[in-house]
Amino acid sequence: MSVERKLATVLFIDLVDSTGLVAASDPEVVRRRVTGFFDQVSHCIETHGGIVEKFAGDAVMAAFGIPLAHEDDAERAVRAALAMLEAVHKLGLEARIGIESGEVVADESDSTFATGEAVNLAARLQQTASPGEILIGPAAHGLTVGRADTEELGPVQLRGREEPLWIWRVTGVPEDSPVRPLAGARFVGREAELDLLANTWERALRGRRAHLFTIYGEPGVGKSRLAAEFTSSLEGATVLKGRALPYGEGITYWPLAEMVKAAAGISDDDPVAEAVEKLRACCEDEAVADLLALASGVLEAVESERSQQEIAWAAREFVEQLAAVQPVVMMFEDIHWAEEPLLELIEHLAAWVREVPVLLVSLARPELLDVRPSWGGGRVRATAIELEPLDAVESNELFDALVEDGELEPDVRIAVLEKTEGNPLFVEETVRMLVEYEGVGGLDRIPDSLHAIIAARIDRLAPAEKALLQRASVVGRVFWAGALEHLSGDLDAGGVEHFLDDLLLRDFVLREPRSTISGERAYRFKHVLIREVAYSGLSKSARADQHRGFADWLRERAGDELLEIRSFHLDRAAALLAELDGAPPQDLASEAAAALEEAGRRALAREAHRVGRALLVRAVELEPTLERRFHAARAAWRMTDYPAVAAEMELVRGAAAEAGDRRLEGRALTALAQVAMNRDADLLRAKELAEQALETLKAAPGPDRFDALEALAATAMWVGDLTEAERIYIEQLEIARATDRTDLEVRALHALAFVYYERMEPDRAMPLLERTQELAEETGSILGRAWVLRSLGEGRLLRGELDEAEKAIQQSRELFAEAGADVHLARTLLSLSQVSVRRGELPSAEKHLREAIRILKPLGDRGTLCEAQRQLAQVLVRSGKLEEAELIALEARETVGPQDHGSRASTRMALGLVRAAQGREAEAEKLLREAIEVLDGTELRLFSVEPLEALVQFLRERGRDEEAAPFARRLLELSPVAGIASSFEASTAKIA
């Protein structure tokens, strides 16, 4: 038995005081009245397109949207409820009703059975309602706004529910309930279509003949809005509107009835005699009036049936009489739902109304042509247009009209327009959802109103076509015919081809001009939301089967070429079955884990660290192995996520030691050494772990020892022993070249160049950076290119070439973000902040530094964090924000590690500058002198520049030029460029 997930509306109705009725009446009377109750309720439900789910005592449960969805199921439920109360009241009984919409699970048997929260809430609302009352929940209310009159009752505590539920009381339905536009929405685009309508109207006026103008379009594309914009511009014309209904009794001529009542001034609550009188007054011929009364349901006393031809004649006489007074526009909406007699009547009017100006505007979805292929054909006064989605400019204009400044985040615009693909209703409803729910749920959720529209279209497909569309939705926005043949064992290849052709004609899918799998025909869902709604209709067990089936097809058809896609589908199958059964089958878990691991390692190889991390973590969850745990932790290491590295690499180290895997143990020790240095600022522990790693890896290949050497070199850099760091980097370079590892050569050359920068030897550094850039471009290394660009940018910043510096550093920032290397990204923001400082753009510098701090705090990289904090303190001093500057400078002093000589000096200097600005001169001078003393005896020449500049400036501003002179001489001795690098941050010399 097939099970589907549906957006449905559930209605519960129950008799009030049925116990008292039984006690006070004769049993036969009770039986007749209760039977009448059930008959009337069932009739109202079925008339409005619902089904009776079950009878329980004196209660009835109905569902609207099962087994077939309609876009207005919630409105149908409300109208059925109002009809029920009226019918029950005529029986001398009272009832109460609860209605709610939501996702339910239902089978496709003759006796459907729906389950879901909407069922429970509808039952609770019915129990809460008073006699004669209809209560609806928030989902049903959202689907009927503008289509039902309600009173808000606020939050109500329902039995069995922890949180209160916001509810409304239904008081009626408006006579005319078009889809409401958002407040502030204006007409956008469609100028050409509006001009064509206007020109056709002019032809009708000049020729005094009827013209038929049909506007085709998918739901929400703007048919009604275009027609409304046209009619609102007319002067001296009678505009009559009627909407074809998809449900109910006496609906054949419903649009005509609406027009006749409007022209005659008849209200629905007018007594029959009064209504007939109004109609006869409107019509010159009593026979015409009686026929129209019959067609519109006004004259119930007329029992004899009349032919279509008679009613068509009466309608023509009626229209010609109106148009003789002034031109007439008759607007027939939703004629794709019209019954055959109404379609015949419209075409009759188009052919036979003469000598008067009449424009017949028909709004329809393309499926009208399925039932009436010849619609409008062969008529010289017939025009048809199809509305296409708005283009990018128009979509942006509509978005601006809907959203007030600051109401939604700027990046939401791009996401909304990508998701809605130019459909105006989709744009409006998505914006409405985001505004009303303040972004909760985000764009992953489809507004119920759109879900209902699209689901109704899908449910009108033949069962085989619908099944094929749902299977295609499992594959994705783009899918292949061969995959559907594999997933559709119940259909032969010819059947799949036939149904795909039909889906193309019905505008559900499009041909994809280029297929990523050779020899396979590719298709694409016309709209991403069609794909999402089709997918949502599948049960989770069906989704799991289809995901796994598609993964099998991919393995057979593409091998490892599309491994990442196959791993995704295997993972989805495993996750769905785990949700249903508690755990996936072991064979599926193993297959998915293996595919995810390989995909994750491939992602790491191309430096997509964030993606690789997610894939590998999931592989570990499905089937943990030591190797997988290491690679997942390695991905965190490449992302510089030190909290994750610390926890996971410690587990890997222990497991590797127990398993006797010296290679993994050594690599885990290397990672832990970097954690000890960067997160804990414990250089002694970092050095110990790095040396332990080298000992463990002494028999391992050179590349395995490379990272351990890098960690050891970094400890030397931090204490200012550049000679030792240089020796280690040269050893790394030899390993890289001996093993022909260009990627490692890039890292070694880059690190060695920074040693020379720190020694203020740019002539030695630049050739290395240029060679690094060449190698990085050859290998396509994202990180390599990013490192080099940042280094080159900082070099240009040192020389005062600000534009070139900013360009290179910004490119570096984008690459680090792409690679998911957050600490490196934060360090790049520090460099960008210095460009801003040099330009005097302090707000920009402050923004960069705050962003860097936000990134670094969760990662725990103390070495970079303390530099970001102290630089921010210095910017705040220059901005006059001394109170916050003091707090940040003190925080930087707490962050810095005890052996981090460079940052111990820079954080002292930053606090000294704060104290100087506060007028605490003795403290300021002491801190500035200490900063210089910390660096004495180290080789950190570049790091010494800024503290020396700060002390020289401090002394000279106080007229103490003699005391400043020796420090100024030391500054000039460091480098001839030191004098122009007055604001360059030496912290950029820290090696990653």
Side-chain angles (χ1 to χ4, degrees):
M1 183 183 298
S2 178
V3 175
E4 275 198 293
R5 303 173 76 89
K6 310 277 286 187
L7 175 63
T9 298
V10 180
L11 178 152
F12 272 86
I13 179 171
D14 189 22
L15 273 178
V16 176
D17 195 24
S18 59
T19 303
L21 172 66
V22 171
S25 304
D26 180 275
E28 188 174 350
V29 173
V30 171
R31 180 181 177 85
R32 287 178 67 88
R33 295 178 74 185
V34 171
T35 300
F37 164 74
F38 285 133
D39 288 345
Q40 288 294 327
V41 166
S42 299
H43 177 73
C44 291
I45 292 167
E46 291 164 3
T47 299
H48 288 82
I51 60 167
V52 177
E53 274 274 306
K54 63 182 178 181
F55 297 97
D58 297 323
V60 180
M61 172 186 167
F64 294 80
I66 300 173
L68 295 179
H70 311 93
E71 63 190 68
D72 55 352
D73 280 314
E75 181 185 356
R76 291 171 181 238
V78 168
R79 288 181 178 272
L82 289 164
M84 287 177 199
L85 289 184
E86 183 178 351
V88 169
H89 184 69
K90 289 179 180 179
L91 293 173
L93 301 173
E94 290 287 350
R96 54 191 180 192
I97 300 175
I99 301 173
E100 181 57 324
S101 304
E103 188 177 53
V104 301
V105 177
D107 60 53
E108 293 183 340
S109 63
D110 293 335
S111 177
T112 63
F113 179 67
T115 57
E117 187 182 26
V119 177
N120 298 328
L121 290 177
R124 295 287 181 263
L125 287 167
Q126 173 260 308
Q127 294 163 5
T128 304
S130 300
E133 191 172 53
I134 304 168
L135 297 183
I136 63 174
H141 177 260
L143 286 167
T144 56
V145 170
R147 297 179 177 272
D149 298 327
T150 59
E151 293 177 358
E152 185 176 317
L153 300 181
V156 173
Q157 189 67 55
L158 300 182
R159 183 167 61 85
R161 181 181 171 87
E162 291 183 8
E163 296 294 325
L165 185 75
W166 215 281
I167 66 175
W168 289 258
R169 177 192 298 115
V170 175
T171 59
V173 290
E175 290 186 14
D176 185 21
S177 56
V179 176
R180 76 205 193 295
L182 273 179
R186 68 172 185 269
F187 188 68
V188 173
R190 314 302 192 201
E191 288 82 3
E193 293 86 352
L194 200 56
D195 287 345
L196 186 55
L197 259 172
N199 289 336
T200 306
W201 173 241
E202 291 296 329
R203 287 178 59 202
L205 293 176
R206 288 195 308 270
R208 299 184 65 78
R209 295 289 294 271
H211 284 66
L212 175 62
F213 194 107
T214 305
I215 304 173
Y216 292 102
E218 299 296 341
V221 80
K223 301 183 295 295
S224 297
R225 191 66 193 276
L226 171 63
E229 193 72 15
F230 164 66
T231 56
S232 68
S233 67
L234 299 180
E235 295 181 0
T238 299
V239 178
L240 301 175
K241 300 178 182 179
R243 175 177 172 235
L245 297 180
Y247 60 87
E249 293 181 292
I251 63 170
T252 301
Y253 294 108
W254 189 269
L256 178 64
E258 290 186 295
M259 296 178 185
V260 167
K261 290 177 182 178
I266 298 171
S267 301
D268 287 338
D269 57 354
D270 282 346
V272 172
E274 185 178 334
V276 171
E277 190 63 32
K278 288 181 178 180
L279 186 53
R280 286 176 175 170
C282 179
C283 298
E284 296 175 355
D285 189 323
E286 190 169 309
V288 171
D290 286 350
L291 283 167
L292 292 178
L294 176 64
S296 61
V298 170
L299 191 56
E300 297 175 3
V302 178
E303 296 179 358
S304 60
E305 293 186 0
R306 301 300 179 94
S307 68
Q308 286 182 223
Q309 290 77 14
E310 288 179 288
I311 292 174
W313 168 79
R316 189 182 82 225
E317 290 291 318
F318 169 69
V319 173
E320 287 181 344
Q321 179 185 324
L322 290 178
V325 178
Q326 67 176 9
V328 172
V329 176
M330 301 180 75
M331 187 179 301
F332 295 87
E333 295 195 63
D334 295 337
I335 63 166
H336 47 276
W337 283 329
E339 295 182 3
E340 187 70 17
L342 179 67
L343 297 176
E344 294 282 356
L345 183 144
I346 297 172
E347 291 199 320
H348 173 82
L349 294 176
W352 294 101
V353 170
R354 302 179 181 183
E355 306 303 329
V356 288
V358 175
L359 180 62
L360 303 162
V361 180
S362 298
L363 313 183
R365 297 178 188 171
E367 49 258 43
L368 170 65
L369 297 174
D370 294 337
V371 296
R372 192 85 170 187
S374 62
W375 178 255
R379 301 185 186 281
V380 294
R381 292 182 303 279
T383 305
I385 60 171
E386 180 184 14
L387 289 190
E388 297 289 346
L390 300 176
D391 62 28
V393 173
E394 293 165 343
S395 295
N396 273 287
E397 189 179 340
L398 177 59
F399 187 92
D400 289 337
L402 296 171
V403 180
E404 296 180 8
D405 289 343
E407 199 168 21
L408 293 174
E409 294 296 324
D411 58 348
V412 172
R413 173 194 296 269
I414 297 172
V416 166
L417 297 184
E418 285 180 353
K419 185 96 169 181
T420 54
E421 298 183 354
N423 184 298
L425 178 66
F426 293 4
V427 175
E428 292 190 8
E429 290 296 310
T430 303
V431 168
R432 187 196 318 280
M433 179 189 71
L434 294 172
V435 170
E436 288 183 358
Y437 294 95
E438 298 179 348
V440 176
L443 286 165
D444 293 335
R445 178 172 174 263
I446 303 173
D448 288 345
S449 53
L450 303 188
H451 191 291
I453 290 171
I454 298 167
R457 283 194 67 208
I458 292 173
D459 273 2
R460 284 195 289 271
L461 292 170
E465 289 177 350
K466 177 180 174 181
L468 201 69
L469 194 73
Q470 289 179 322
R471 291 165 189 166
S473 74
V474 172
V475 177
R477 179 75 186 272
V478 175
F479 57 92
W480 297 270
L484 293 189
E485 291 168 10
H486 179 82
L487 295 175
S488 304
D490 51 336
L491 298 173
D492 58 28
V496 169
E497 191 74 33
H498 168 74
F499 290 129
L500 277 173
D501 285 344
D502 201 39
L503 291 171
L504 281 165
L505 289 173
R506 293 174 180 272
D507 266 352
F508 282 96
V509 302
L510 304 169
R511 289 191 188 277
E512 188 75 352
R514 179 181 175 277
S515 174
T516 55
I517 300 179
S518 59
E520 290 289 345
R521 296 183 310 282
Y523 297 82
R524 168 188 291 270
F525 279 90
K526 183 170 182 180
H527 200 290
V528 66
L529 294 182
I530 296 175
R531 183 258 161 189
E532 292 181 17
V533 173
Y535 184 81
S536 72
L538 287 167
S539 67
K540 291 187 176 180
S541 59
R543 293 178 199 174
D545 290 343
Q546 299 293 328
H547 278 297
R548 190 168 191 181
F550 177 60
D552 291 341
W553 179 81
L554 271 179
R555 184 185 62 245
E556 296 168 6
R557 188 65 184 79
D560 287 339
E561 184 180 350
L562 299 176
L563 174 68
E564 288 78 6
I565 298 176
R566 185 165 71 89
S567 69
F568 167 80
H569 287 276
L570 288 170
D571 182 30
R572 288 304 303 141
L576 288 163
L577 291 176
E579 190 176 344
L580 291 171
D581 303 327
Q586 187 54 52
D587 64 326
L588 174 60
S590 297
E591 185 182 2
L596 287 163
E597 178 187 5
E598 183 59 29
R601 294 179 69 168
R602 280 163 56 156
L604 292 186
R606 63 176 186 268
E607 296 180 334
H609 300 132
R610 207 179 302 279
V611 173
R613 166 75 173 164
L615 292 168
L616 288 161
V617 166
R618 179 61 179 150
V620 170
E621 291 172 356
L622 284 170
E623 190 179 58
T625 66
L626 177 58
E627 189 82 14
R628 283 177 190 151
R629 287 187 183 280
F630 168 74
H631 286 299
R634 183 166 70 97
W637 186 11
R638 290 290 175 247
M639 291 167 60
T640 55
D641 184 353
Y642 294 122
V645 175
E648 294 176 31
M649 281 298 189
E650 190 60 57
L651 292 174
V652 170
R653 179 177 75 158
E658 187 175 337
D661 190 329
R662 301 281 287 174
R663 178 171 176 267
L664 286 187
E665 182 186 1
R667 298 182 76 182
L669 284 165
T670 301
L672 293 171
Q674 290 207 354
V675 171
M677 180 175 62
N678 293 312
R679 187 190 69 170
D680 304 331
D682 188 343
L683 262 65
L684 296 179
R685 177 65 176 156
K687 186 175 182 180
E688 177 187 338
L689 287 167
E691 289 172 344
Q692 190 178 342
L694 285 168
E695 177 62 26
T696 305
L697 294 167
K698 64 182 179 182
D704 287 343
R705 302 176 67 245
F706 190 93
D707 286 335
L709 287 168
E710 188 171 69
L712 193 62
T715 63
M717 286 292 292
W718 274 38
V719 297
D721 189 351
L722 302 188
T723 300
E724 175 63 7
E726 180 184 19
R727 182 194 67 76
I728 296 172
Y729 290 141
I730 290 172
E731 185 177 348
Q732 280 187 303
L733 188 59
E734 290 169 353
I735 289 173
R737 287 173 172 167
T739 55
D740 199 25
R741 288 285 301 273
T742 307
D743 58 325
L744 299 184
E745 186 176 357
V746 168
R747 289 166 60 184
L749 285 171
H750 177 261
L752 197 56
F754 255 104
V755 170
Y756 298 141
Y757 258 133
E758 182 55 41
R759 285 180 177 164
M760 305 295 281
E761 299 173 347
D763 290 344
R764 298 184 68 183
M766 284 305 296
L768 296 182
L769 284 177
E770 289 168 2
R771 177 58 180 156
T772 303
Q773 188 172 28
E774 290 174 8
L775 293 174
E777 293 294 340
E778 287 175 14
T779 60
S781 168
I782 296 174
L783 285 177
R785 286 158 55 206
W787 285 326
V788 172
L789 283 166
R790 187 174 66 190
S791 300
L792 291 172
E794 288 163 353
R796 292 188 172 102
L797 177 58
L798 190 66
R799 293 190 293 271
E801 300 167 2
L802 301 185
D803 291 343
E804 295 85 351
E806 182 178 34
K807 181 179 177 182
I809 296 169
Q810 185 61 46
Q811 289 175 339
S812 169
R813 175 188 182 177
E814 292 166 2
L815 291 171
F816 281 130
E818 180 183 345
D822 286 344
V823 168
H824 296 299
L825 174 61
R827 291 175 180 173
T828 306
L829 287 168
L830 267 63
S831 299
L832 278 175
S833 76
Q834 292 313 306
V835 175
S836 298
V837 167
R838 291 289 296 276
R839 285 178 169 156
E841 299 170 354
L842 298 182
S844 174
E846 183 179 337
K847 178 182 176 182
H848 289 316
L849 292 167
R850 290 190 189 278
E851 176 65 10
I853 291 169
R854 185 194 63 78
I855 293 170
L856 290 166
K857 279 196 172 179
L859 300 177
D861 185 312
R862 290 174 63 181
T864 308
L865 177 59
C866 68
E867 283 300 316
Q869 289 168 331
R870 71 92 178 172
Q871 289 185 37
L872 177 57
Q874 290 172 229
V875 169
L876 292 172
V877 167
R878 293 182 61 171
S879 302
K881 303 174 184 178
L882 296 185
E883 187 174 343
E884 187 182 4
E886 180 181 22
L887 293 174
I888 298 293
L890 290 171
E891 193 175 350
R893 291 290 305 277
E894 293 174 3
T895 303
V896 72
Q899 290 93 35
D900 185 354
H901 293 345
S903 292
R904 284 176 60 219
S906 65
T907 53
R908 277 175 168 76
M909 175 196 65
L911 184 57
L913 294 172
V914 172
R915 295 294 182 236
Q918 292 172 330
R920 297 162 64 171
E921 299 197 355
E923 292 178 57
E925 184 173 349
K926 180 175 182 294
L927 286 164
L928 293 174
R929 289 181 182 275
E930 284 178 0
I932 294 169
E933 290 168 5
V934 166
L935 296 170
D936 286 344
T938 73
E939 298 178 71
L940 299 175
R941 293 168 61 88
L942 184 57
F943 247 109
S944 301
V945 170
E946 198 178 2
L948 283 168
E949 289 177 334
L951 182 58
V952 168
Q953 184 176 354
F954 176 86
L955 294 172
R956 285 177 174 170
E957 285 176 351
R958 285 149 184 80
R960 297 161 63 183
D961 290 2
E962 264 188 53
E963 292 178 64
F967 297 107
R969 284 193 294 273
R970 285 177 59 182
L971 189 59
L972 289 174
E973 289 168 2
L974 285 174
S975 168
V977 298
I980 66 167
S982 60
S983 297
F984 180 65
E985 298 297 339
S987 60
T988 54
K990 281 196 169 183
I991 301 301

